[in-house]
Amino acid sequence: MKIRRAFADLSPGQIHYAECGDREAPAVLLLHQSPRSWTEYREVLPLIGAHRRAIAMDTVGFGDSAAGDGPAGIEQWARVACELLDALQIRQSDVVGHHTGGVIAVELAAAFPQRVRGLVLSSTPYTNAAFRKARAERPPIDEVAPSEDGSHLAALWQRRQGFYPPGRPELLEAFVRDALKASGSPEDGHRAVAAYRMEERIHLVVQPALLIRATDDPFASPHAAELHEHLANARIVDIEGGMVPLPDQMPEAFARTVLSFLETLQ
């Protein structure tokens, strides 16, 4: 199935997105982790697009999207996602987010509840005070100092390697390409997540939600139970063997899980 790519002129500048499927079908907006881009969903788009209008956007400052003028922030990114729905004349959409994308999806559902029908939060952290404290005490995730010999590129690869499946170097290559393409630091997305006060917003999320727990993702899988406590209309589904790059690691299982949930919504 053909993937169509385009830009929309929104408040930060030109925002890039890719889509697949019938434009008259119900929409599904897919939001990526940091510092990835829409390519995280390259294999997922046709699978969901066979049943829905699947749209994967590049978050502000990542992929081919403009950086904008303001500081990176979850609230801004959610607002721009809503602007994209406006530009595409989509009144209501289901929203899927992975890692950072899941945090953006929470804010999108909280700030613009009439625009979000259902929510899929994949490997999404619960960003409360305890999360922020722990994050502040850890070294940067994806930030490395540039070096003349290019060894910082290997450092980017090696920092992530333990959280990616063995024998899949193409997944790490995709990560490094996106990290290098980020308008600011590859760490900006992680900083935005750490600054987001989800505990003050999550009570506004009333939409039916699916929490996808990638069982081999040590960063995010422990948060599924916390999120479940705060989301009355949520349930958890495990994807066994899923790791940090779940959507492009296991696109069939990911798409199948998303579509099965969406079919339950009225």
Side-chain angles (χ1 to χ4, degrees):
M1 180 172 286
K2 183 179 179 181
I3 294 176
R4 305 179 297 271
R5 298 176 60 187
F7 288 87
D9 289 313
L10 307 180
S11 60
Q14 288 204 313
I15 298 300
H16 175 260
Y17 65 96
E19 68 171 320
C20 201
D22 184 352
R23 288 192 173 99
E24 300 304 315
V28 181
L29 179 66
L30 299 119
L31 306 171
H32 61 80
Q33 69 171 301
S34 299
R36 294 299 313 276
S37 70
W38 77 273
T39 60
E40 179 165 70
Y41 296 110
R42 187 188 297 275
E43 303 301 324
V44 171
L45 275 173
L47 299 174
I48 295 181
H51 306 273
R52 311 269 169 159
R53 181 183 184 183
I55 304 159
M57 69 179 291
D58 285 343
T59 301
V60 176
F62 294 91
D64 288 321
S65 284
D69 297 326
I74 298 299
E75 293 86 354
Q76 182 215 22
W77 293 345
R79 185 173 65 253
V80 173
C82 192
E83 289 179 20
L84 179 62
L85 294 179
D86 289 341
L88 299 179
Q89 298 183 332
I90 296 171
R91 184 183 64 83
Q92 190 178 57
S93 177
D94 296 311
V95 180
V96 177
H98 182 60
H99 274 264
T100 302
V103 180
I104 299 169
V106 167
E107 177 60 23
L108 182 60
F112 306 98
Q114 72 281 8
R115 309 302 297 274
V116 178
R117 185 185 70 147
L119 205 56
V120 178
L121 305 178
S122 170
S123 299
T124 298
Y126 178 59
T127 63
N128 60 357
F131 177 91
R132 289 188 289 276
K133 181 176 185 295
R135 181 67 185 84
E137 294 171 352
R138 291 202 308 267
I141 299 170
D142 292 320
E143 190 169 65
V144 294
S147 57
E148 291 186 7
D149 63 359
S151 58
H152 61 294
L153 305 182
L156 273 174
W157 182 292
Q158 290 158 4
R159 284 192 181 187
R160 287 256 178 165
Q161 191 167 13
F163 308 106
Y164 277 55
R168 299 287 305 276
E170 77 280 5
L171 298 179
L172 282 161
E173 289 171 359
F175 155 71
V176 172
R177 283 196 300 269
D178 280 341
L180 294 175
K181 202 170 188 179
S183 296
S185 165
E187 195 69 14
D188 285 347
H190 305 305
R191 293 192 181 105
V193 167
Y196 181 61
R197 304 180 75 86
M198 190 183 289
E199 73 272 31
E200 297 176 4
R201 302 291 288 166
I202 198 166
H203 70 280
L204 299 172
V205 178
V206 297
Q207 296 89 341
L210 177 70
L211 310 177
I212 296 179
R213 182 164 52 193
T215 60
D216 293 356
D217 182 340
F219 291 112
S221 61
H223 291 278
E226 286 183 286
L227 286 170
H228 190 259
E229 291 178 7
H230 295 278
L231 294 170
N233 291 325
R235 61 186 179 91
I236 299 174
V237 170
D238 288 343
I239 296 184
E240 296 292 335
M243 301 181 77
V244 168
L246 177 62
D248 45 0
Q249 175 200 0
M250 304 173 71
E252 293 85 3
F254 186 86
R256 183 169 59 249
T257 302
V258 169
L259 288 169
S260 294
F261 169 70
L262 297 184
E263 288 169 4
T264 69
L265 302 182
Q266 301 299 319

